Amino acid sequence: MAPEQEPHHVGKQVLGPHVVGQRIVVRRVLHGEVGPSGGPAMTDLLGICTAWGADVCVVQPDSGPAVTIALADIVSGKPVPPRPSLRHRVSSREAQLRALALWPGLEIQPLGDWTLRRSPTSQARRANSVLAMGPSGVADDYERVVEFYGSSPAQRPIAAVLPDSAEDELFRSHGWVLESHDADTIFQLAGVARALRSLAASPTPVELVEATPQHVTARIGDVASGVAAYDRGWVGFRSIEVSPDQRRQGLGLAIMGALLDWGAERGATTAYLQVLGDNTPAIALYEGLGFTEHHRYRYLAE
């Protein structure tokens, strides 16, 4: 049996066989090339370490062929956090814009990079608030928000903002406060395939009623229901509800499974939902399906 390989010490960092399968960054010497200072040229390589031998290691970059590096040429290196998935590299604003698909018939007006939204059929905050995540780029943005929502006497102006952002500070400076004093809302993402693998087949029949080819309601009699929408490879869920006297029987999971199947049939690879940060049972349920936090936001009201 070959003796156990010792870690390769490079500067203050330690690389070795233990980093196989991990994402690492390696600085190495380029033989035959001269650097800016006249010494040997060096370059950095970022990727997954796929092999570590007695004299070489192999690194697979994010693109291109694998690179074999002599251990003697390594100047420094260290493990780095895994690269975020493509879905998690989507900005908070873009994720929120995709979620507008959950509200058919929504009235939408751009205000620079903000989005004014109002629903003729729903009182939900997500359908009746300004989406203000990042600078609007408009000089009189606040005044125009107040004007837009003030045109409807029955509607209270509400803003959806990232916690402790400049927009949070802007609306608070005008006296806005947390709407209903709720906890922040968590926007969660999951891979559709991962979520489906986590769900056991349910014997409970679920009825699907499509309002449009991109929008569906799932029902189990009058005791459980949920809504889903599909848009550009994403399927989102809202209003997953189970009658209080019918809970803890797997009906919520049966609704989720039916809606995930519906999204997968349309080509969805990413699933999303939103849940209040103090709803511990729901968060635990969704985490069991592979959902993880993408961002948090809060509602402020005038």
Side-chain angles (χ1 to χ4, degrees):
M1 179 181 295
E4 183 178 353
Q5 298 174 24
E6 294 296 325
H8 182 66
H9 293 262
V10 281
K12 297 181 180 180
Q13 303 294 340
V14 178
L15 297 176
H18 61 281
V19 301
V20 172
Q22 296 184 40
R23 189 172 176 81
I24 63 173
V25 61
V26 177
R27 174 161 292 186
R28 60 192 174 102
V29 173
L30 293 176
H31 291 286
E33 300 185 27
V34 178
S37 63
M42 301 181 191
T43 188
D44 293 331
L45 179 64
L46 178 66
I48 303 296
C49 179
T50 59
W52 190 280
D55 301 309
V56 300
C57 73
V58 181
V59 177
Q60 176 61 61
D62 294 332
S63 61
V67 178
T68 300
I69 306 171
L71 299 188
D73 292 339
I74 297 178
V75 177
S76 62
K78 62 179 180 180
V80 297
R83 188 182 188 191
S85 66
L86 285 173
R87 62 179 62 95
H88 277 274
R89 280 179 262 165
V90 171
S91 70
S92 301
R93 175 176 176 271
E94 172 61 23
Q96 292 284 345
L97 290 175
R98 286 180 179 248
L100 296 180
L102 283 165
W103 309 95
L106 198 63
E107 178 187 350
I108 299 172
Q109 290 188 25
L111 179 58
D113 285 335
W114 290 1
T115 301
L116 300 164
R117 48 193 179 174
R118 182 159 55 198
S119 172
T121 59
S122 174
Q123 298 299 312
R125 296 176 298 184
R126 273 185 279 163
N128 295 280
S129 57
V130 58
L131 181 61
M133 297 185 178
S136 70
V138 176
D140 57 346
D141 48 15
Y142 175 78
E143 291 75 15
R144 290 174 63 178
V145 167
V146 173
E147 179 183 3
F148 178 83
Y149 291 105
S151 63
S152 175
Q155 191 168 38
R156 184 185 188 191
I158 300 175
V161 300
L162 297 174
D164 305 317
S165 63
E167 294 69 44
D168 190 356
E169 182 179 351
L170 169 65
F171 286 98
R172 287 180 184 272
S173 71
H174 287 278
W176 292 39
V177 296
L178 288 173
E179 201 276 337
S180 299
H181 305 284
D182 280 337
D184 290 345
T185 299
I186 305 174
F187 193 108
Q188 294 187 312
L189 295 179
V192 170
R194 161 70 171 82
L196 285 171
R197 286 197 301 270
S198 303
L199 283 167
S202 173
T204 305
V206 179
E207 178 188 12
L208 295 178
V209 179
E210 287 189 358
T212 73
Q214 284 75 43
H215 195 267
V216 68
T217 297
R219 297 187 183 280
I220 300 175
D222 58 359
V223 298
S225 61
V227 175
Y230 171 81
D231 179 41
R232 293 174 291 167
W234 285 34
V235 60
F237 313 106
R238 68 170 175 87
S239 304
I240 308 297
E241 300 173 351
V242 179
S243 298
D245 60 342
Q246 298 291 325
R247 290 173 183 168
R248 301 186 183 280
Q249 299 182 42
L251 300 184
L253 288 175
I255 291 289
M256 286 290 296
L259 294 176
L260 280 164
D261 278 334
W262 176 86
E265 289 171 0
R266 280 148 187 79
T269 56
T270 297
Y272 66 89
L273 52 81
Q274 302 178 63
V275 59
L276 286 174
D278 57 1
N279 190 345
T280 304
I283 292 172
L285 172 69
Y286 298 139
E287 286 181 346
L289 299 179
F291 283 88
T292 58
E293 181 175 328
H294 181 270
H295 66 274
R296 295 188 179 215
Y297 67 98
R298 59 182 50 148
Y299 292 102
L300 300 178
E302 189 179 35

mmCIF file of all heavy atoms in Angstrom, residues 50-66:
data_model
loop_
_atom_site.group_PDB
_atom_site.id
_atom_site.type_symbol
_atom_site.label_atom_id
_atom_site.label_comp_id
_atom_site.label_asym_id
_atom_site.label_seq_id
_atom_site.Cartn_x
_atom_site.Cartn_y
_atom_site.Cartn_z
ATOM 1 N N THR A 50 -9.590 18.021 -9.369
ATOM 2 C CA THR A 50 -10.121 16.691 -9.684
ATOM 3 C C THR A 50 -9.152 15.559 -9.353
ATOM 4 O O THR A 50 -9.551 14.399 -9.315
ATOM 5 C CB THR A 50 -10.492 16.607 -11.177
ATOM 6 O OG1 THR A 50 -9.328 16.865 -11.969
ATOM 7 C CG2 THR A 50 -11.575 17.625 -11.523
ATOM 8 N N ALA A 51 -7.885 15.906 -9.110
ATOM 9 C CA ALA A 51 -6.904 14.863 -8.771
ATOM 10 C C ALA A 51 -5.714 15.504 -8.079
ATOM 11 O O ALA A 51 -5.355 16.662 -8.353
ATOM 12 C CB ALA A 51 -6.451 14.116 -10.030
ATOM 13 N N TRP A 52 -5.078 14.740 -7.184
ATOM 14 C CA TRP A 52 -3.867 15.197 -6.491
ATOM 15 C C TRP A 52 -2.927 14.010 -6.365
ATOM 16 O O TRP A 52 -3.253 13.016 -5.713
ATOM 17 C CB TRP A 52 -4.212 15.746 -5.100
ATOM 18 C CG TRP A 52 -3.042 16.436 -4.456
ATOM 19 C CD1 TRP A 52 -1.993 15.853 -3.806
ATOM 20 C CD2 TRP A 52 -2.804 17.844 -4.422
ATOM 21 N NE1 TRP A 52 -1.105 16.804 -3.366
ATOM 22 C CE2 TRP A 52 -1.586 18.038 -3.726
ATOM 23 C CE3 TRP A 52 -3.483 18.946 -4.898
ATOM 24 C CZ2 TRP A 52 -1.052 19.306 -3.503
ATOM 25 C CZ3 TRP A 52 -2.961 20.202 -4.681
ATOM 26 C CH2 TRP A 52 -1.752 20.378 -3.992
ATOM 27 N N GLY A 53 -1.788 14.094 -7.027
ATOM 28 C CA GLY A 53 -0.824 13.012 -7.001
ATOM 29 C C GLY A 53 0.441 13.385 -6.260
ATOM 30 O O GLY A 53 0.515 14.408 -5.574
ATOM 31 N N ALA A 54 1.467 12.557 -6.410
ATOM 32 C CA ALA A 54 2.728 12.802 -5.715
ATOM 33 C C ALA A 54 3.439 14.028 -6.258
ATOM 34 O O ALA A 54 4.147 14.729 -5.523
ATOM 35 C CB ALA A 54 3.626 11.572 -5.846
ATOM 36 N N ASP A 55 3.257 14.328 -7.554
ATOM 37 C CA ASP A 55 3.996 15.433 -8.168
ATOM 38 C C ASP A 55 3.103 16.464 -8.843
ATOM 39 O O ASP A 55 3.573 17.552 -9.172
ATOM 40 C CB ASP A 55 4.979 14.882 -9.215
ATOM 41 C CG ASP A 55 5.964 13.906 -8.600
ATOM 42 O OD1 ASP A 55 6.584 14.269 -7.589
ATOM 43 O OD2 ASP A 55 6.089 12.791 -9.132
ATOM 44 N N VAL A 56 1.845 16.134 -9.099
ATOM 45 C CA VAL A 56 0.981 17.051 -9.845
ATOM 46 C C VAL A 56 -0.420 17.081 -9.237
ATOM 47 O O VAL A 56 -0.815 16.166 -8.503
ATOM 48 C CB VAL A 56 0.872 16.650 -11.337
ATOM 49 C CG1 VAL A 56 2.222 16.670 -12.018
ATOM 50 C CG2 VAL A 56 0.203 15.283 -11.473
ATOM 51 N N CYS A 57 -1.119 18.151 -9.562
ATOM 52 C CA CYS A 57 -2.551 18.193 -9.284
ATOM 53 C C CYS A 57 -3.259 18.575 -10.578
ATOM 54 O O CYS A 57 -2.648 19.156 -11.481
ATOM 55 C CB CYS A 57 -2.885 19.170 -8.166
ATOM 56 S SG CYS A 57 -2.765 20.917 -8.611
ATOM 57 N N VAL A 58 -4.527 18.255 -10.675
ATOM 58 C CA VAL A 58 -5.316 18.538 -11.872
ATOM 59 C C VAL A 58 -6.483 19.430 -11.461
ATOM 60 O O VAL A 58 -7.199 19.130 -10.499
ATOM 61 C CB VAL A 58 -5.841 17.254 -12.533
ATOM 62 C CG1 VAL A 58 -6.645 17.584 -13.786
ATOM 63 C CG2 VAL A 58 -4.673 16.320 -12.870
ATOM 64 N N VAL A 59 -6.660 20.531 -12.194
ATOM 65 C CA VAL A 59 -7.720 21.490 -11.896
ATOM 66 C C VAL A 59 -8.603 21.637 -13.131
ATOM 67 O O VAL A 59 -8.097 21.864 -14.232
ATOM 68 C CB VAL A 59 -7.140 22.854 -11.485
ATOM 69 C CG1 VAL A 59 -8.265 23.861 -11.243
ATOM 70 C CG2 VAL A 59 -6.266 22.710 -10.242
ATOM 71 N N GLN A 60 -9.911 21.513 -12.930
ATOM 72 C CA GLN A 60 -10.874 21.704 -14.006
ATOM 73 C C GLN A 60 -11.474 23.103 -13.902
ATOM 74 O O GLN A 60 -12.251 23.382 -12.998
ATOM 75 C CB GLN A 60 -11.986 20.664 -13.932
ATOM 76 C CG GLN A 60 -13.098 20.857 -14.963
ATOM 77 C CD GLN A 60 -12.578 20.779 -16.390
ATOM 78 O OE1 GLN A 60 -12.042 19.749 -16.798
ATOM 79 N NE2 GLN A 60 -12.715 21.861 -17.148
ATOM 80 N N PRO A 61 -11.084 24.038 -14.800
ATOM 81 C CA PRO A 61 -11.662 25.389 -14.758
ATOM 82 C C PRO A 61 -13.147 25.361 -15.109
ATOM 83 O O PRO A 61 -13.685 24.338 -15.546
ATOM 84 C CB PRO A 61 -10.857 26.151 -15.822
ATOM 85 C CG PRO A 61 -9.695 25.286 -16.164
ATOM 86 C CD PRO A 61 -10.120 23.881 -15.894
ATOM 87 N N ASP A 62 -13.815 26.514 -14.929
ATOM 88 C CA ASP A 62 -15.236 26.608 -15.250
ATOM 89 C C ASP A 62 -15.489 26.374 -16.730
ATOM 90 O O ASP A 62 -16.564 25.913 -17.122
ATOM 91 C CB ASP A 62 -15.776 27.979 -14.843
ATOM 92 C CG ASP A 62 -15.742 28.170 -13.334
ATOM 93 O OD1 ASP A 62 -15.829 27.165 -12.607
ATOM 94 O OD2 ASP A 62 -15.626 29.322 -12.883
ATOM 95 N N SER A 63 -14.491 26.694 -17.560
ATOM 96 C CA SER A 63 -14.609 26.434 -18.994
ATOM 97 C C SER A 63 -13.243 26.017 -19.522
ATOM 98 O O SER A 63 -12.211 26.382 -18.970
ATOM 99 C CB SER A 63 -15.104 27.685 -19.738
ATOM 100 O OG SER A 63 -14.204 28.761 -19.574
ATOM 101 N N GLY A 64 -13.235 25.242 -20.586
ATOM 102 C CA GLY A 64 -11.978 24.788 -21.165
ATOM 103 C C GLY A 64 -11.517 23.475 -20.584
ATOM 104 O O GLY A 64 -12.136 22.909 -19.676
ATOM 105 N N PRO A 65 -10.400 22.961 -21.101
ATOM 106 C CA PRO A 65 -9.899 21.656 -20.659
ATOM 107 C C PRO A 65 -9.277 21.715 -19.274
ATOM 108 O O PRO A 65 -8.921 22.785 -18.765
ATOM 109 C CB PRO A 65 -8.849 21.316 -21.727
ATOM 110 C CG PRO A 65 -8.368 22.666 -22.205
ATOM 111 C CD PRO A 65 -9.569 23.560 -22.172
ATOM 112 N N ALA A 66 -9.155 20.545 -18.650
ATOM 113 C CA ALA A 66 -8.483 20.436 -17.352
ATOM 114 C C ALA A 66 -7.007 20.799 -17.491
ATOM 115 O O ALA A 66 -6.397 20.628 -18.554
ATOM 116 C CB ALA A 66 -8.633 19.022 -16.807
#
